[in-house]
Amino acid sequence: ENLAALANMGCATRDDETVEKPCSELDFGAVTIDESGAAIEDRLGLTMEVIIINEGTEVLGIDLVAINEGSPEFGIMNYEYNGSTVSISGEEPFRIPAGRAEDCSGLVEDGSNELTIKVKYSPTDLGADTDTLKILTDAVEGAELTVPLMGYGAKQGIVFSPEFLNLNAAEG
């Protein structure tokens, strides 16, 4: 009986809905700086998604999600599971159901084995910013998942609102 939780990651790029698996990095590109001094939740910026996928036959526990170096330009905005916002406190692991039946048949396709982490980049000054998204799980494979985060604070970049992405808009 080789029942195990296998954590994989995907990331949604900003151009379309394609999910890249595994998620090698989140590159936010050039984003206009916000010098308002507000908290990252209230600043302009770009939000992208990292998706934790349980491809195993056991429940996957997520123990911790953090911006490793604590860079103030990157922030975890929220977590979504099955269309609802959920919280990960660190006290009790967030459990993602198995993605496969015990006979290791195909992956479920209803998204019940996925947790979406929304990561925002909001540069406060010019230049390159880097950090790492770190995810600790109880998986046999993928117990510590890391995603390099990078972005570039620009005087005038393209600012995306997470709800509306139109890459054909004329600059005005």
Side-chain angles (χ1 to χ4, degrees), residues 123-141:
T124 54
D125 52 15
L126 296 173
D129 294 300
T130 58
D131 209 321
T132 307
L133 180 70
K134 188 160 141 184
I135 301 144
L136 298 179
T137 80
D138 61 5
V140 183
E141 287 180 33

Side-chain angles (χ1 to χ4, degrees), residues 31-106:
V31 176
T32 302
I33 58 172
D34 182 334
E35 299 172 286
S36 66
I40 189 164
E41 293 81 7
D42 302 320
R43 296 198 308 259
L44 295 172
L46 174 62
T47 301
M48 290 170 70
E49 297 179 348
V50 173
I51 301 151
I52 308 293
I53 306 156
N54 182 0
E55 297 186 342
T57 50
E58 282 285 302
V59 171
L60 171 65
I62 305 292
D63 296 313
L64 173 78
V65 181
I67 305 288
N68 201 29
E69 305 287 321
S71 163
E73 278 89 5
F74 297 99
I76 298 164
M77 292 299 98
N78 64 6
Y79 306 96
E80 284 180 11
Y81 177 74
N82 267 351
S84 302
T85 300
V86 295
S87 68
I88 296 179
S89 62
E91 292 169 25
E92 194 59 37
F94 182 83
R95 302 188 195 288
I96 304 174
R100 297 179 200 275
E102 291 181 13
D103 61 5
C104 284
S105 54

